[in-house]
Amino acid sequence: MDWLQVVILGLIQGLTEFLPVSSSAHLILVPVLTDWEDQGLAFDVALHLGSLSAVILYFRQDLLKMMVAWTRSVTHRELNADGKLAWAVILGTIPVGLAGLVFKDAIETHLRSPIILAVSLIVFGVLLGWADWRQRGTRSEHQMTWKDVAWIGFAQALALIPGTSRSGITMTAALLVGMSREGAARFSFLLSIPVIALAGMLEVWGLIRAPEAISWSAMFWGTVISGVSAYACIHYFLAFIKRIGMQPFVIYRVVLGALLLVVFL
């Protein structure tokens, strides 16, 4: 793996993991559109570790409050707003975890074509644009109902379809139940923590079962690039959507999807 590949893949993972544009679509397209060899499981683990580190670092104060409140909800049965948010993240992760266990092989076998990516980019991009246009909610991530959590959690399971975008579909669902853009984005980012961690553990398991040669320098820099770009992405995205909204990402998805259809049909 050369250094250009390390930098490009690190930036793609870091930026697209949290933007509503589908990281899986971009990572699948890289080997399709280039002559690069597959980067391997070990490097994928490094990229996910970078993204995971970034979101944990960015929300470190929120996560600490949530952990303390969640512990009190278990030990003292006292449920405040932070404890409820912690439970929301846990419960909202269950649908995608179960769907991943059941449908993982089928998805990897049948749904990773450029055409599927293109259709998903367009369809779910338009849905995001419609949700952002029609709904001007004001509720934050601390004001969700359990029904909202279930709705967003089941929507997140659709992200297993390549091209959907985990962040995109969860933000769409959150906007549709009346959350603000910032509240929808913040909850989506918090939901990403267990999902990225679970995906990383699956990749580690695959690496243990089929060990491969590891380039430690490539893994280190891939982790750093992914982490720094992901942290910057979270920070600027939250500021960006309060002023402009989701429409630029919708346009990008539709244009990218249309180009893929032109190239691969």
Side-chain angles (χ1 to χ4, degrees):
M1 181 184 301
D2 60 37
W3 288 108
L4 178 61
Q5 186 176 1
V6 171
V7 172
I8 294 298
L9 291 176
L11 288 173
I12 289 175
Q13 170 65 23
L15 294 175
T16 62
E17 180 67 46
F18 301 109
L19 294 180
V21 296
S22 179
S23 61
S24 63
H26 288 76
L27 290 173
I28 290 171
L29 285 173
V30 168
V32 172
L33 300 176
T34 68
D35 59 355
W36 288 341
E37 295 181 359
D38 185 88
Q39 63 268 19
L41 272 176
F43 192 71
D44 284 346
V45 171
L47 295 182
H48 280 90
L49 177 60
S51 298
L52 181 62
S53 300
V55 70
I56 290 174
L57 181 62
Y58 189 89
F59 288 102
R60 60 192 181 279
Q61 294 181 349
D62 301 83
L63 291 171
L64 180 60
K65 293 177 183 177
M66 289 164 61
M67 289 175 62
V68 171
W70 181 85
T71 301
R72 290 193 65 83
S73 75
V74 174
T75 58
H76 295 78
R77 296 187 179 181
E78 297 176 4
L79 189 63
N80 62 14
D82 289 318
K84 183 178 178 181
L85 183 57
W87 278 111
V89 171
I90 295 170
L91 297 176
T93 304
I94 293 174
V96 71
L98 293 176
L101 291 174
V102 174
F103 299 111
K104 181 177 182 292
D105 292 338
I107 291 170
E108 291 183 349
T109 303
H110 302 293
L111 298 182
R112 293 177 70 87
S113 74
I115 302 303
I116 295 293
L117 291 178
V119 173
S120 296
L121 283 166
I122 294 171
V123 171
F124 290 106
V126 171
L127 183 60
L128 172 62
W130 178 70
D132 187 51
W133 171 77
R134 71 175 289 275
Q135 191 70 38
R136 289 291 180 269
T138 58
R139 290 189 294 138
S140 73
E141 67 274 20
H142 288 98
Q143 297 171 308
M144 293 183 296
T145 66
W146 295 118
K147 183 178 178 180
D148 297 336
V149 174
W151 166 254
I152 297 168
F154 281 108
Q156 184 173 222
L158 293 174
L160 294 170
I161 303 171
T164 301
S165 171
R166 189 210 59 80
S167 60
I169 195 64
T170 50
M171 289 181 205
T172 299
L175 290 170
L176 288 174
V177 297
M179 292 179 66
S180 67
R181 289 167 174 166
E182 186 178 12
R186 288 177 63 86
F187 185 57
S188 174
F189 294 154
L190 290 171
L191 272 178
S192 73
I193 294 174
V195 172
I196 297 174
L198 289 171
M201 286 189 288
L202 284 175
E203 290 178 339
V204 168
W205 175 244
L207 190 60
I208 292 173
R209 295 176 62 188
E212 60 185 49
I214 294 176
S215 172
W216 292 106
S217 60
M219 286 185 62
F220 172 78
W221 287 110
T223 303
V224 171
I225 294 169
S226 174
V228 171
S229 58
Y231 189 95
C233 174
I234 295 169
H235 176 76
Y236 288 108
F237 179 77
L238 289 172
F240 181 85
I241 60 170
K242 285 192 291 186
R243 301 193 311 270
I244 300 176
M246 304 290 184
Q247 302 309 316
F249 304 102
V250 173
I251 294 170
Y252 174 80
R253 289 179 64 115
V254 172
V255 171
L256 178 58
L259 289 174
L260 289 175
L261 289 176
V262 170
V263 172
F264 291 103
L265 275 181

